Amino acid sequence: MKKPDFRRWRAAALVGVALTGVVVTGPSAAYAGQPARHSGDLDLRVAVGVDGVDSVRIHAERYAPVGKVRGVQVMVPGSTYDHHYFDYFDPGGGGVVSQARQAAREGWLVIALDRVGTGKSSKPPAASVTTAVQVASVDHFVDRIDAMYRGLPIALVGHSYGSVVAEGVAARSDKVDALVVTGFLYRRTAPSFDGFPELVPAATDPVLGKERFPADYLTTSPGSRKFFYHLPNASPATVAADERTKSATTAAEIPGFTEEFVGRAFARAVRVPVLVVVGEEDYLYRGNDPAAFEPDQRSAFAAAADVRVVLVPGAGHGLALHRNAPFTTMVINRWASSAVA
């Protein structure tokens, strides 16, 4: 098979950005090209107070620029992912770069968290891992981050179900200055879930079985995560790493995705600037009317200070895991910089 032309993806990504009204400019001299470092992990106990969960421990990884800091990006991963979604590398040179480290190089202090029930964060009984618990825990986590980094603006960056959670937090928090929604959108017609990975018990999964998840936690069946990719634009090494580092979900949190997609309750309450970024090959977007994409997002986020949209050519659901991810991340970082300026 002919090797993909990375320069074409760069051009396509920039064209896609231009078509949706986001102006891409170069980074300011104060931030451009900074080195970035992984500055350790962070474990915070936060209050919850809903659905039988009093408090939880939220684990996160921090990535810091060496020089001047623009602000804080709090990254919220989607279902069956933890912080690894934002910190993938392709050692084979397939073009995938860590979204978290790239943002740090562009001047952001990045905090990529494990939601409740994933990674190294608390794992309550599965029936208690609901969207209400996710939103409350991340909301209080953001409060703690704001207190730790007083004076720095905070941009919430969600992916997929993590975008739903981020919307819920932005709808209620006075600490969030901008919201980035990736791998999630609003549309007038239902998307097709044909081929979506079967969910199986995490306790018996070859990857997660050794981690001793509580009963009734779920994950994707072995080898099924290709569904989240546009494979011509994905490195096999990245797909394999995705399988090795996958995490869990619960039946209790899954309805939150559909409820927000249909009801839009969180979106309607968001008032900060919003950027929506979706892959053109995402199963959530395929079959959508391209002309309706931008108006539908503006309608959903009707109270937001500003709404911008980006459709990324050649990318599937896992935007940060495709070969054109560096350009998607660049667009996110530069929009966020202008939104919190």
Side-chain angles (χ1 to χ4, degrees), residues 36-243:
R37 57 190 171 86
H38 177 258
S39 58
D41 55 6
L42 176 69
D43 290 280
L44 298 176
R45 180 152 291 273
V46 298
V48 178
V50 297
D51 291 341
V53 180
D54 293 328
S55 68
V56 294
R57 180 174 62 90
I58 297 290
H59 174 83
E61 300 288 331
R62 286 183 287 190
Y63 310 83
V66 172
K68 188 175 179 181
V69 179
R70 288 180 187 273
V72 181
Q73 285 190 23
V74 177
M75 296 183 170
V76 187
S79 182
T80 73
Y81 283 99
D82 59 19
H83 73 272
H84 287 98
Y85 171 81
F86 296 106
D87 193 24
Y88 278 111
F89 286 98
D90 184 350
V96 176
V97 190
S98 161
Q99 180 174 346
R101 294 172 197 250
Q102 181 175 339
R105 285 197 302 273
E106 295 181 12
W108 290 90
L109 172 65
V110 175
I111 300 174
L113 60 82
D114 294 340
R115 288 183 298 99
V116 173
T118 70
K120 297 180 182 179
S121 291
S122 294
K123 297 177 179 65
S128 296
V129 183
T130 63
T131 297
V133 166
Q134 299 289 3
V135 171
S137 60
V138 176
D139 182 23
H140 292 133
F141 181 84
V142 168
D143 287 344
R144 296 283 300 276
I145 296 302
D146 178 70
M148 291 171 63
Y149 301 104
R150 186 72 69 186
L152 288 177
I154 295 176
L156 271 184
V157 181
H159 173 250
S160 190
Y161 175 71
S163 289
V164 173
V165 174
E167 287 182 28
V169 174
R172 61 191 272 177
S173 174
D174 61 356
K175 306 298 193 301
V176 175
D177 298 286
L179 172 65
V180 179
V181 172
T182 74
F184 185 79
L185 74 155
Y186 298 92
R187 53 184 285 179
R188 302 168 202 180
T189 58
S192 172
F193 289 86
D194 288 347
F196 192 90
E198 178 187 3
L199 295 177
V200 298
T204 59
D205 181 76
V207 173
L208 297 187
K210 60 182 178 293
E211 296 188 25
R212 298 181 181 178
F213 276 84
D216 298 325
Y217 275 65
L218 305 169
T219 191
T220 52
S221 58
S224 64
R225 297 176 78 84
K226 292 179 181 179
F227 180 81
F228 301 131
Y229 292 82
H230 179 52
L231 290 175
N233 191 13
S235 164
T238 301
V239 179
D242 187 348
E243 177 70 22

